[in-house]
Amino acid sequence: YKSPPFRFFLFFGIMQQKMNNKSSSSSTQDGLKNWQQKCGSNAMPRWQDIDPSEIKPLLPNVVVIHVSHDPLDFIERITGDVILSHSSLNSMGKNWRDYEGRGPDSKIWKSMEEVVHNKKASFQSIPYVGPQKYFKGIDTVTCPISDDGITVNRVIVFVDYILRNDLLLEKE
């Protein structure tokens, strides 16, 4: 694999489009539903509340990012197979602060930072730029996770790829 996610987010101005908690894709909707169930009466679930066996069909479309504080940084730790196969770069294990296209001035950083500060799930719809010509965009929902109920120490992102229609493909 050439690897991980969000490769698509970075290199092109992430056309971030908040969708008021609405998305037409199933991985994002199912991921959000599971995350909400795991929240229970809390604002965010704990990492130990997340049971991979309960979201097994979604795992190929999941990214888990660890959040470091002081200074803020993001480190991609788990990336699903579908995301790996549709990506052109591998950023797993790299600090985003020092990774070109993902640092504090990038739109992907600002999107993650917003989730960390607001402690709420956030939908984004962005154009796809990667090695596959069959996709026109990506829908994501980024969900915060907190082991102490206060500080976001991970985010889990559910990703769906939106196929291009045949007319667009015929032109290429």
Side-chain angles (χ1 to χ4, degrees), residues 107-166:
K107 291 183 181 185
I108 185 70
W109 179 285
K110 292 183 187 322
S111 174
M112 293 293 164
E113 185 175 38
E114 179 182 322
V115 169
V116 168
H117 291 305
N118 292 339
K119 301 175 180 151
K120 294 181 182 175
S122 175
F123 279 101
Q124 292 104 32
S125 215
I126 60 171
Y128 172 81
V129 177
Q132 309 296 327
K133 66 179 182 177
Y134 305 105
F135 304 112
K136 68 176 181 178
I138 299 162
D139 284 346
T140 68
V141 62
T142 303
C143 304
I145 297 171
S146 174
D147 288 334
D148 65 6
I150 299 168
T151 304
V152 176
N153 57 333
R154 288 181 182 87
V155 293
I156 187 167
V157 184
F158 298 92
V159 178
D160 270 317
Y161 292 86
I162 309 306
L163 291 172
R164 298 173 73 180
N165 66 37
D166 290 335

Side-chain angles (χ1 to χ4, degrees), residues 37-111:
Q37 289 171 345
K38 296 302 175 180
C39 286
S41 61
N42 301 315
M44 301 171 279
R46 297 170 301 164
W47 180 244
Q48 65 193 39
D49 296 329
I50 306 298
D51 182 353
S53 69
E54 293 177 358
I55 57 171
K56 190 172 183 178
L58 304 178
L59 293 178
N61 293 63
V62 165
V63 179
V64 176
I65 299 168
H66 287 207
V67 180
S68 296
H69 297 273
D70 198 24
L72 183 64
D73 206 347
F74 304 100
I75 304 160
E76 193 173 310
R77 294 293 186 194
I78 299 171
T79 304
D81 289 342
V82 168
I83 296 167
L84 290 171
S85 69
H86 298 327
S87 301
S88 55
L89 300 175
N90 183 346
S91 61
M92 275 199 291
K94 296 180 180 165
N95 292 28
W96 284 15
R97 178 171 290 285
D98 303 322
Y99 194 76
E100 187 176 343
R102 302 254 182 112
D105 292 332
S106 70
K107 291 183 181 185
I108 185 70
W109 179 285
K110 292 183 187 322
S111 174

Side-chain angles (χ1 to χ4, degrees), residues 2-18:
K2 279 203 174 183
S3 275
F6 301 137
R7 313 353 158 175
F8 33 71
F9 287 174
L10 350 225
F11 302 117
F12 17 141
I14 299 181
M15 180 169 81
Q16 190 180 88
Q17 195 179 72
K18 307 275 168 157

